[in-house]
Amino acid sequence: MNKHESLILTNATITDGFSFLIENGAVEIENDRITQIGKCNDLQNPDVETIDLQGRLALPGLLNPHHHLYSALATGLAPIGPIENFTQILGNLWWHLDQKLDEESIYYSAVHGLLQSVKYGVTTIFDHHASMNGVSGSLAIIEKAFRKVGLKGLLCHEISDRMGESAVQAQVDENMEFWAAHRQDSHVQGLLGLHANFTLSENTLVSIQKQKPAELPIHIHCGEDCADYQYCIDHGYAGPVDRLNEFGLLSGESFLAHCIHLSEKDYELIREIQPVVISNPESNANNNVGVMDIAKIEKYILGTDGMTGNILGTMRSHFLQRNGKIDQPLDILFRYPAEIVQRFFPDAGALEIGRRADLAITDYIPVTDINLDNLFYHLIFGVQGQPMYMTIADGKILYQGGEFKNFYEYETLNQIKHVADKLHRKYYE
Ligand SMILES: [Zn+2]
C-alpha cells in the first residue's frame, strides 16, 4: 500500500458528474480525504507528491449496486442441462455453481470480482451472495476480500426455499448476524438478501416478516422474469412488489433489482414508496427476460448483476439498447448513487471537499469542448467503458497504469486460476 499522507492529482478535467466540471483542475488528498479541488495553478505544493494526469478525465468512484461476486470464476462453464428459459438458467448453471463453492472459492471469487471492478473505477459494491452448502460465515469471508482489496460494500446472503424450507433459518441468521455486527462499520455493512418471490414461500415470508428489524433493508430480485410475476399472481397478489409490500418488507430503503415484469399496482407502489430500483441491462439481455419500462420507473440506477465489474460499460449498453434515449443519465450514473452510498457511508459517495477520496481517473483525454451538458457523450463515445487509468478508494491508489498497487498481480492471478480450476472440476463432478 502506498504510504503517502498527501497527494496532489494535477492537470485533469475534474467533475463530480452533475454539479461541477473543472478543466485544468487538481485535487488534493490528505490521508483518506479530499482536502481541495480547484485549478492546477492554485493547488501547487512542491512538498507534496504530485501526479500529472496529463489532461485525463477524473470522475467520482463508481457504485455497482447489484453484483454477484460468487460468479466471478464462472467464465467458460457450460450449463449442466438445457437453458431454454430463465428458471433453467438458474437451475442448470447458477444454483449448481453456488452449491459447489467452499471457503477458498468464495474468497477468491470475491477477490477476482473486486479486482475486475477496481479496474473499471468502481469503489463501492452491493453484493448479493449465495453459497448454499456453506452459508454460515460466508459473508465474513467476502468481507475479508473487500478489506484486502480496499473497497466499500454492502453484503447479504440470498434467502431462498430452493434448498428446502428447513434450510432457510441458517440463511436468515447469516444475514441478520452480519448486519447486526456491522451497523456502524465504515467499510462493510449488511443487508437482508432475498432471492426472489418465486423461491420464497408464504411460510418463509411470514417467518422473515417476524424476524426482520424494520431498519434492516432488503435486497431482492424483483420481477426479473415472468415466472416471478406469475408466482405472485397465482398466490393472490397484484405482482412481486405488491407481495413484498403485503409482507411489510418494502420501504424506501429496499433494493429491488430488475423490475421488468410488474403490474400497474406494482408501479404505483414504487412511485409511492420509492425503493431503490436497479436495472441490469446487460444481464437482462443475456438472460432474454425483457427490459425494464423506463417510462414507468423514472428513478433508477444501474447494476451489473454479476455480468462484469464495469458500470460505465453497462451504461453504454443501456444507452445503445434504448436507441440513445435515456432521461437524466448523469443522475443515474452519479447523483443517485452518491445519495445511496451516503445512506450507509455518510462521509463517502461523492467527489467533494471533506469526503473520503474515491476517484475513477479515466484513461481518456478530451480534445473537444467538454462541459456538464455534453459530459455524458464524452463518457459514451470517449471513455467507451474502457479500463481506468487510476482508481483511488479512501485516498489509496488501488490501480494505476494497468497495475494493481496492492497485489503482486502474477502471484494473485496464479492463485485465482488454481482455485478456479478446482471449482470447475467440482462443478462437473
Ligand atoms: Zn442478481
Side-chain angles (χ1 to χ4, degrees), residues 1 26 47-48 67 77 87 113 129 131 162 172 176 197 199 211 213 215 260 276 293 297 351 375 379 393 423:
M1 192 63 65
D47 297 330
V48 173
H67 203 349
L77 283 177
T87 46
H129 175 68
S131 52
R162 68 174 151 102
V172 174
M176 302 254 283
N197 273 288
T199 69
Q211 298 181 66
E215 62 273 34
I260 297 167
V276 178
D293 189 342
I297 298 176
L351 211 169
L375 171 64
L379 296 175
L423 177 63

Side-chain angles (χ1 to χ4, degrees), residues 66 68 221 258 305:
H66 185 71
H68 298 284
H221 301 97
H258 305 299
D305 199 21

Side-chain angles (χ1 to χ4, degrees), residues 111-324:
V111 167
H112 187 57
L114 289 167
L115 291 176
Q116 293 309 308
S117 303
V118 165
K119 199 183 263 189
Y120 293 96
V122 170
T123 52
T124 307
I125 293 176
F126 300 172
D127 185 53
H128 204 281
H129 175 68
S131 52
M132 287 300 185
N133 286 321
V135 173
S136 181
S138 60
L139 297 182
I141 298 170
I142 299 168
E143 174 190 6
K144 208 171 94 187
F146 269 82
R147 293 193 193 281
K148 172 75 177 159
V149 175
L151 298 195
K152 289 179 277 300
L154 301 183
L155 312 189
C156 64
H157 191 292
E158 161 183 324
I159 299 169
S160 165
D161 291 324
R162 68 174 151 102
M163 305 300 286
E165 281 187 15
S166 60
V168 165
Q169 192 57 46
Q171 301 157 15
V172 174
D173 291 344
E174 177 66 5
N175 283 280
M176 302 254 283
E177 285 163 18
F178 190 85
W179 170 74
H182 293 78
R183 292 192 66 180
Q184 303 303 323
D185 197 282
S186 59
H187 287 83
V188 181
Q189 297 183 22
L191 294 171
L192 188 85
L194 302 173
H195 174 246
N197 273 288
F198 76 102
T199 69
L200 293 160
S201 68
E202 298 283 290
N203 282 342
T204 299
L205 287 191
V206 169
S207 162
I208 291 168
Q209 182 179 25
K210 280 188 196 145
Q211 298 181 66
K212 188 185 93 59
E215 62 273 34
L216 168 53
I218 62 166
H219 184 181
I220 185 170
H221 301 97
C222 183
E224 181 174 8
D225 182 68
C226 51
D228 194 43
Y229 175 82
Q230 196 57 48
Y231 180 93
C232 297
I233 299 297
D234 291 347
H235 286 77
Y237 301 93
V241 183
D242 182 49
R243 186 167 184 244
L244 296 174
N245 192 46
E246 287 296 316
F247 280 96
L249 298 171
L250 191 68
S251 75
E253 312 300 311
S254 306
F255 293 94
L256 308 186
H258 305 299
C259 292
I260 297 167
H261 299 275
L262 304 183
S263 65
E264 289 308 318
K265 171 96 185 282
D266 288 331
Y267 290 118
E268 270 171 41
L269 285 167
I270 287 176
R271 276 191 291 271
E272 192 184 311
I273 298 173
Q274 295 188 27
V276 178
V277 173
I278 305 158
S279 186
N280 301 271
E282 292 188 351
S283 161
N284 296 157
N286 183 51
N287 289 331
N288 193 24
V289 291
V291 293
M292 194 180 86
D293 189 342
I294 54 176
K296 290 188 169 150
I297 298 176
E298 285 157 14
K299 189 170 178 178
Y300 62 96
I301 53 179
L302 296 180
T304 68
D305 199 21
M307 286 278 292
T308 70
N310 186 350
I311 283 291
L312 292 182
T314 296
M315 174 52 99
R316 194 164 191 271
S317 298
H318 183 50
F319 173 82
L320 295 173
Q321 193 178 47
R322 303 303 173 126
N323 302 315

